[in-house]
Each structure stands twice: as C-alpha cells, then as structure tokens.
C-alpha cells in the first residue's frame, strides 16, 4: 500500500486547523456541566449511570476520585465516551459552518487498493472525515495487513458489491444501500466483488 492510506488521511485531517493548549479540566465541574446540559437531576443522572446519588454528588464536588469502573458507568449514563469526560467543551465553536463539494471536486488521494476523494476538504477542525472511495482491491492479498486507527467509522455502499473484512467477524457481503458502523480500531479492509470497481461513502470520526 502507498503512504496515502486511510490512516494518513486521518492524520492529515486531525492535524488541520489551529492547535491550542488544553486548559486544565476539573472533572467534577465537567460532570456537573454535562448533567445540567441534559437538564437531569442528580438523582436521575445517578440512576442512569448506576451509581449512588451520594457517589455522584461527591464526584461533582471534587470530594472523590472515581475509579475507572465508575468513569465508565458515568460515560455510559451520559451517553458519551470516557475521553469526553476529560475533554473541555469548545468555547469558540462556530455555528452555521458549511462546506459543499460538487461531484468530482473532492481532493484525490489514490492508493493501490482504494481511490479516495476527500469531501468537505476545505473545512478545518472537522469532527468527522467524510470521503468517497472507489474500491480497486479484489482480494485480501492486495493489502499490507489490516487497516486500523482511532475513532469509529461508518460505511455506505453507493454502487456495486463489496465484501467487508473485519478482524473479529466473518466477511460480510454488502450491496448498494447497505451500511455498516464499526470500531475503526478493529482491523478492517474492503474489497470489490463486482466486475467493476465498487464505490462507497466512508465517514470517520476524528474525536
């Protein structure tokens, strides 16, 4: 595979935009903000997380350092990931951003197995990396091992027939209109089962 594989595309996307030093974060304050943003009472949030009300109160008031198990319960209860508990909200977030990519105008990045077209390439500091891919590969032997990277990924078949190979599941044949959502840290590769190259839409999370 060439050096412009999906992992390099994600690295490029993550490095775009201005970098700023993270401010120290108070976990208790962060948890309280997340709870209040949902308009949840302390008791309701504790029930959602499977924690005692007193435990959640101590966490919010900085009187207790939660175990990792408690952090996982909190994250599940708040419907976020554990890292998001330690990520400060973006104070300078701009609303109303828009990027339009006309057909064929996306930034092209070709590899031996895929031909990628990056969408919304002009938009910096994205939370997602959307790209259209033409699947050239016809067998797993064409790949230099599994592709894996941080984040989650959504795949949607636009044309043709593909076979989705993953590290922990049996290969899945997918046709136009089929989709898959998976953990991108799990090894994954896609081949085309069509006579012609299949095309798919990929969306990768960057957070």
């Amino acid at each position: 595979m060439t050096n412009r594989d999906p992992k390099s595309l994600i690295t490029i996307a993550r490095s775009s935009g201005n970098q700023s030093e993270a401010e120290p974060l108070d976990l208790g304050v962060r948890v309280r903000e997340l709870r209040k943003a949902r308009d949840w009472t302390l008791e309701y949030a504790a029930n959602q997380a499977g924690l005692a009300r007193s435990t959640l109160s101590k966490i919010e008031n900085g009187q207790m350092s939660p175990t990792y198990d408690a952090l996982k319960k909190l994250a599940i209860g708040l419907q976020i990931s554990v890292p998001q508990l330690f990520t400060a909200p973006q104070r300078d977030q701009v609303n109303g951003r828009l990027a339009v990519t006309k057909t064929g105008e996306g930034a092209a990045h070709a590899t031996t197995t895929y031909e990628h077209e990056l969408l919304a390439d002009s938009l910096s500091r994205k939370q997602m990396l959307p790209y259209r891919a033409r699947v050239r590969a016809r067998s797993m032997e064409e790949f230099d091992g599994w592709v894996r990277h941080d984040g989650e990924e959504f795949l949607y078949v636009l044309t043709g027939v593909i076979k989705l190979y993953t590290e922990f599941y049996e290969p899945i044949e997918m046709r136009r209109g089929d989709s898959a959502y998976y953990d991108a840290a799990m090894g994954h590769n896609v081949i085309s089962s069509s006579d012609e190259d299949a095309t798919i839409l990929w969306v990768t999370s960057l957070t």
Side-chain angles (χ1 to χ4, degrees):
M1 198 183 291
T2 70
N3 63 348
R4 289 194 177 280
D5 61 16
K7 287 179 287 186
S8 71
L9 301 183
I10 293 161
T11 301
I12 292 168
R14 284 195 172 125
S15 64
S16 64
N18 298 325
Q19 300 295 319
S20 57
E21 279 195 31
E23 298 177 4
L25 185 139
D26 185 315
L27 177 62
V29 172
R30 173 65 169 152
V31 171
R32 187 184 299 113
E33 287 178 348
L34 288 166
R35 173 175 65 81
K36 289 188 174 181
R38 290 158 176 74
D39 199 25
W40 289 357
T41 64
L42 194 64
E43 185 171 2
Y44 182 82
N47 287 336
Q48 288 293 104
L51 298 172
R53 183 184 183 281
S54 59
T55 298
L56 182 56
S57 177
K58 289 178 181 177
I59 292 172
E60 287 193 1
N61 291 299
Q63 298 171 351
M64 173 187 288
S65 296
T67 63
Y68 184 70
D69 184 56
L71 287 174
K72 284 197 297 184
K73 289 182 178 180
L74 264 177
I76 292 170
L78 292 166
Q79 299 177 338
I80 60 175
S81 64
V82 172
Q84 285 177 290
L85 287 172
F86 299 92
T87 305
Q90 292 185 355
R91 306 297 183 183
D92 58 346
Q93 182 174 351
V94 178
N95 294 321
R97 298 198 303 164
L98 173 67
V100 175
T101 307
K102 296 294 185 70
T103 301
E105 294 183 358
H109 292 273
T111 75
T112 55
T113 49
Y114 303 119
E115 186 176 318
H116 299 294
E117 181 188 2
L118 271 64
L119 309 174
D121 190 46
S122 62
L123 203 60
S124 64
R125 300 175 66 183
K126 294 189 289 288
Q127 302 301 308
M128 300 179 292
L129 175 63
Y131 52 102
R132 185 186 294 111
R134 179 178 296 277
V135 184
R136 295 174 169 174
R138 292 298 193 277
S139 71
M140 282 289 287
E141 285 69 31
E142 296 179 51
F143 294 91
D144 183 20
W146 291 111
V147 170
R148 52 164 66 88
H149 48 82
D150 294 338
E152 297 178 324
E153 203 155 68
F154 175 77
L155 178 158
Y156 183 91
V157 183
L158 297 172
T159 65
V161 182
I162 67 165
K163 188 166 285 187
L164 172 62
Y165 286 86
T166 56
E167 196 170 5
F168 306 126
Y169 297 89
E170 290 296 316
I172 305 168
E173 185 174 273
M174 301 174 64
R175 298 176 177 271
R176 178 180 177 182
D178 292 344
S179 63
Y181 188 107
Y182 50 89
D183 179 359
M186 171 178 64
H188 56 280
N189 289 321
V190 173
I191 69 167
S192 176
S193 303
S194 310
D195 291 335
E196 297 183 354
D197 294 345
T199 58
I200 58 180
L201 172 69
W202 251 319
V203 181
T204 303
S205 66
L206 295 175
T207 55

